[in-house]
C-alpha cells in the first residue's frame, strides 16, 4: 500500500512538472524573438546529438538530422500561420511539441520493463471505407458504395488504449474519406475534440473542406490535413475525377484563411513520378500554402492489383535524388515511405520498436502497414476476448516481421546493415514476405489482396521488381552510406 502511494505521489509530481514545462514552452514560443532563439538552440542540439551517434552509418545520421531540422522549421511555420487560430497554436505546443516529442512517458517505461523493447510510436486508422470519390488505383478500394466502418466505441477505445499502454499521442487517420466518418452521432472532429492531448494527421481528398469545415478544424486545433494530389490539375483530375483539383485548391485557400496547417499527399506512379520537382513544390508550398509533403509510391493492391502503374526502379532512384536535394537545400519536410527508409532505420511496419506502427482498417482488421493487406487479428475480436493492443503486438505474424527488420538492420556500423534504400518487407523483399505469409497464413483483408496472394505471376513480378530496385540502389548504398567501393 505504501509503495503504491509513493508511486502515485511520483505520478502527481511528474504531472505538475509536465504542466509547468508546457506552460513555459507556450510562453517561449509566443514571443517571436525567443522562438527563433529556441529554434536555433534545438537545431544545434539535435545536430550534435544525432551526428555524434555512431550506431548507424554517418550518412544515415545526416539524413536523420536534416529531416529533424526540417520538422522543426515546419512546426515553426505552422505556428506563425496560425495567428488567427489559437486552438491550433495551443495544439502545436501542447499536443505535438510537448506530448509527442518532449513529454516523459511512464507508460512507455512500463511497456519497456514488461516487453524489453519500446512500444510503437503511433497507429494509422481508417475508421471508415466510405468515400465520395473513386480514384484509380486506390489502396483501400474505397467508394460511395462502401459502408464498412469501426463503431465509435471501438475507435474511442483504441485511441485511449494507445495513450494508456504506449504513451503514444500521435495518430494518423486515413480512409475512405475521414471527414465522412460518422458513428453514434460522432465524427473525426468529435474524436479530436475528445483527445486534445493527441495530434492527428488526416489524409483527405480535400473536397469536403469548405469554409465551415476549415473553421471546425481551426476550432478543434489538433488535426492537420494532408490533401491528396497527383501532380497538377490534369493529373489530379485524371485519377480522382473532373473538377477535383479545383476543389482541392479551394480547400487549401479555406485552410490558409482559417489558420490550419496542412500538407500534401502525393501518390507517385510511373506516369507522374517526374512531376516531383521544384516546380511542383513551388506550386503547392509557395503558391497554395502547404508546409509538408508525404510521398507514396503506388503499391499494387486495392484497385491497383497489377504492377503496370508502379514507379520504375530508375524513377525511384531519381525520386530519391530529388527528395534528398529538396530536403537539404530547400529545408522542407518531405517524406517518401520508401526512399526515406534511412530516417527510420528501415521498415516501420508490424509495430516496430520505437518508430513503428500498425494499421487498423474499417472492419477492425489489423495489418502490418497500410500497404501490406494481410491480417492475423481483428481488434473487435481482441476486445471481445478482453485483450488489448499489447496482445495484438505479440501475434507471431507481427513478431516474425519485426525479427526480419532486426536481422536486416542488426549489424549497424559494421557495414553489414541491410540496404535501407530498399526497406519495404512486401514491396522490396517479397520473397521474405511470401515465406512469412505462408508460415502464418494471415487473412487477406479484401478480394484484391486474396487474388494477389494466389496469383503466381503477380508474386514473381513483384519479386523481380524488388531485385531490379536493389540493382539500381545497392551501389548508391555501398558508396554513399557504407563508404565502400561497389
Amino acid at each position: 500500500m505504501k509503495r503504491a502511494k509513493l508511486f502515485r505521489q511520483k505520478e502527481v509530481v511528474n504531472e505538475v512538472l509536465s504542466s509547468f514545462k508546457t506552460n513555459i514552452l507556450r510562453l517561449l514560443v509566443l514571443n517571436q524573438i525567443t522562438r527563433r532563439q529556441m529554434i536555433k538552440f534545438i537545431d544545434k542540439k539535435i545536430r550534435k546529438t544525432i551526428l555524434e551517434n555512431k550506431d548507424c552509418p554517418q550518412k544515415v545520421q545526416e539524413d536523420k538530422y536534416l529531416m529533424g531540422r526540417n520538422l522543426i522549421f515546419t512546426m515553426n511555420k505552422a505556428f506563425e500561420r496560425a495567428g488567427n487560430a489559437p486552438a491550433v497554436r495551443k495544439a502545436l505546443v501542447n499536443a505535438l511539441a510537448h506530448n509527442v516529442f518532449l513529454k516523459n512517458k511512464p507508460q512507455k517505461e512500463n511497456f519497456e520493463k514488461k516487453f524489453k523493447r519500446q512500444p510503437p510510436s503511433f497507429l494509422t486508422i481508417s475508421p471508415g471505407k466510405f468515400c465520395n470519390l473513386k480514384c484509380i488505383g486506390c489502396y483501400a478500394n474505397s467508394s460511395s458504395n462502401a459502408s464498412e466502418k469501426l463503431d465509435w466505441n471501438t475507435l474511442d477505445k483504441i485511441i485511449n488504449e494507445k495513450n494508456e499502454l504506449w504513451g503514444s499521442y500521435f495518430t494518423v487517420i486515413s480512409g475512405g474519406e475521414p471527414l465522412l466518418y460518422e458513428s453514434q452521432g460522432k465524427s473525426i472532429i468529435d474524436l479530436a475534440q475528445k483527445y486534445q492531448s493527441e495530434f492527428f494527421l488526416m489524409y483527405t481528398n480535400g473536397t469536403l473542406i469548405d469554409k465551415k469545415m476549415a473553421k471546425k478544424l481551426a476550432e478543434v486545433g489538433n488535426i492537420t490535413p494532408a490533401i491528396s494530389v497527383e501532380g497538377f490539375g490534369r493529373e489530379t483530375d485524371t485519377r480522382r475525377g473532373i473538377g477535383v483539383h479545383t476543389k482541392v485548391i479551394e480547400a487549401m485557400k479555406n485552410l490558409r484563411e482559417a489558420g490550419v496547417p496542412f500538407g500534401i499527399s502525393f501518390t507517385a506512379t510511373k506516369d507522374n513520378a517526374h512531376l516531383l520537382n521544384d516546380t511542383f513544390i513551388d506550386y503547392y508550398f509557395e503558391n497554395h500554402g502547404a508546409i509538408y509533403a508525404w510521398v507514396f509510391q503506388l503499391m499494387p493492391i486495392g484497385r491497383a492489383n497489377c504492377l503496370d502503374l508502379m514507379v520504375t526502379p530508375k524513377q525511384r532512384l531519381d525520386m530519391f535524388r530529388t527528395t534528398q536535394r529538396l530536403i537539404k537545400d530547400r529545408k522542407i519536410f518531405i517524406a517518401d515511405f520508401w526512399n526515406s527508409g534511412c530516417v527510420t532505420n528501415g521498415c516501420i511496419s508490424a509495430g516496430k520498436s520505437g518508430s513503428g506502427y500498425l494499421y487498423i482498417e474499417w472492419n477492425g482488421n489489423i495489418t502490418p502497414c497500410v500497404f501490406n493487406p494481410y491480417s492475423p487479428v481483428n481488434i473487435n475480436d481482441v476486445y471481445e476476448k478482453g485483450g488489448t493492443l499489447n496482445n495484438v503486438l505479440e501475434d507471431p505474424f507481427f513478431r516474425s516481421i519485426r525479427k526480419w527488420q532486426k536481422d536486416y538492420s542488426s549489424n549497424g556500423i559494421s557495414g553489414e546493415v541491410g540496404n535501407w534504400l530498399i526497406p519495404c518487407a512486401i514491396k522490396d523483399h517479397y520473397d521474405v514476405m511470401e515465406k512469412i505469409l505462408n508460415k502464418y497464413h494471415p487473412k487477406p483483408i479484401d478480394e484484391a489482396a486474396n487474388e494477389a496472394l494466389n496469383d503466381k505471376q503477380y508474386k514473381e513480378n513483384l519479386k523481380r521488381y524488388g531485385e531490379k530496385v536493389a540493382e539500381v540502389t545497392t551501389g548508391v548504398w555501398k558508396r554513399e552510406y557504407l563508404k565502400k567501393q561497389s
Side-chain angles (χ1 to χ4, degrees), residues 114 145 172 187 234 279 324 388 417 425 442 482:
K114 183 175 182 179
N145 296 322
V172 177
S187 68
R234 181 176 65 83
T279 302
Q324 290 284 88
T388 69
V417 62
L482 302 185

Side-chain angles (χ1 to χ4, degrees), residues 32 35-36 75-83 89 92:
Q32 189 178 62
R35 187 170 70 250
R36 288 176 178 173
M75 290 171 64
N76 180 55
K77 191 177 294 183
F79 193 85
E80 289 179 344
R81 293 185 183 181
R89 284 192 159 191
L92 287 169

Side-chain angles (χ1 to χ4, degrees), residues 160-171:
N160 181 67
E161 206 169 71
K162 66 188 281 294
N163 289 172
E164 295 297 321
L165 295 179
W166 301 346
S168 167
Y169 295 93
F170 179 64
T171 301

Side-chain angles (χ1 to χ4, degrees), residues 140-166:
N141 200 18
S142 298
S143 74
S144 58
N145 296 322
S147 59
E148 299 97 320
K149 62 184 174 184
L150 289 170
D151 69 63
W152 169 262
N153 289 339
T154 302
L155 181 59
D156 180 37
K157 186 172 183 177
I158 291 169
I159 301 299
N160 181 67
E161 206 169 71
K162 66 188 281 294
N163 289 172
E164 295 297 321
L165 295 179
W166 301 346

Side-chain angles (χ1 to χ4, degrees), residues 349-395:
S349 74
K352 179 182 179 180
S353 177
S355 60
Y357 83 110
L358 288 169
Y359 173 55
I360 306 177
E361 52 95 274
W362 41 81
N363 287 317
N365 294 312
I366 307 176
T367 71
C369 75
V370 173
F371 303 102
N372 193 336
Y374 303 100
S375 171
V377 291
N378 186 290
I379 194 64
N380 297 308
D381 296 335
V382 171
Y383 285 161
E384 187 176 328
K385 296 174 183 177
T388 69
L389 290 172
N390 285 347
N391 297 112
V392 173
L393 286 172
E394 291 306 296
D395 183 88

Side-chain angles (χ1 to χ4, degrees), residues 225-394:
I227 301 176
S228 299
V229 298
E230 313 303 328
F232 301 98
R234 181 176 65 83
E235 294 82 13
T236 298
D237 284 2
T238 296
R239 185 178 183 220
R240 297 184 170 268
I242 301 300
V244 169
H245 184 256
T246 298
K247 292 181 180 179
V248 162
I249 298 304
E250 185 66 23
M252 292 179 176
K253 179 174 180 261
N254 295 334
L255 292 168
R256 283 198 314 275
E257 292 176 350
V260 178
F262 67 92
I264 57 173
S265 170
F266 174 63
T267 302
T269 71
K270 69 178 180 61
D271 296 331
N272 69 356
H274 65 283
L275 295 176
L276 185 63
N277 54 34
D278 286 277
T279 302
F280 176 83
I281 294 301
D282 287 342
Y283 181 74
Y284 286 109
F285 281 64
E286 304 301 328
N287 297 352
H288 295 294
I291 62 171
Y292 60 84
W294 298 99
V295 178
F296 297 91
Q297 298 176 33
L298 185 136
M299 177 67 192
I301 56 174
R303 282 198 294 272
N305 58 341
C306 67
L307 284 72
D308 296 343
L309 282 174
M310 290 176 69
V311 169
T312 69
K314 181 183 182 304
Q315 286 177 317
R316 181 157 160 177
L317 182 59
D318 291 343
M319 288 173 62
F320 169 76
R321 294 297 191 195
T322 299
T323 53
Q324 290 284 88
R325 179 180 59 78
L326 291 170
I327 288 167
K328 182 178 180 181
D329 297 342
R330 300 199 55 168
K331 300 181 180 180
I332 62 173
F333 184 89
I334 176 171
D336 181 321
F337 274 73
W338 286 269
N339 282 338
S340 298
C342 292
V343 177
T344 55
N345 289 6
C347 173
I348 62 174
S349 74
K352 179 182 179 180
S353 177
S355 60
Y357 83 110
L358 288 169
Y359 173 55
I360 306 177
E361 52 95 274
W362 41 81
N363 287 317
N365 294 312
I366 307 176
T367 71
C369 75
V370 173
F371 303 102
N372 193 336
Y374 303 100
S375 171
V377 291
N378 186 290
I379 194 64
N380 297 308
D381 296 335
V382 171
Y383 285 161
E384 187 176 328
K385 296 174 183 177
T388 69
L389 290 172
N390 285 347
N391 297 112
V392 173
L393 286 172
E394 291 306 296

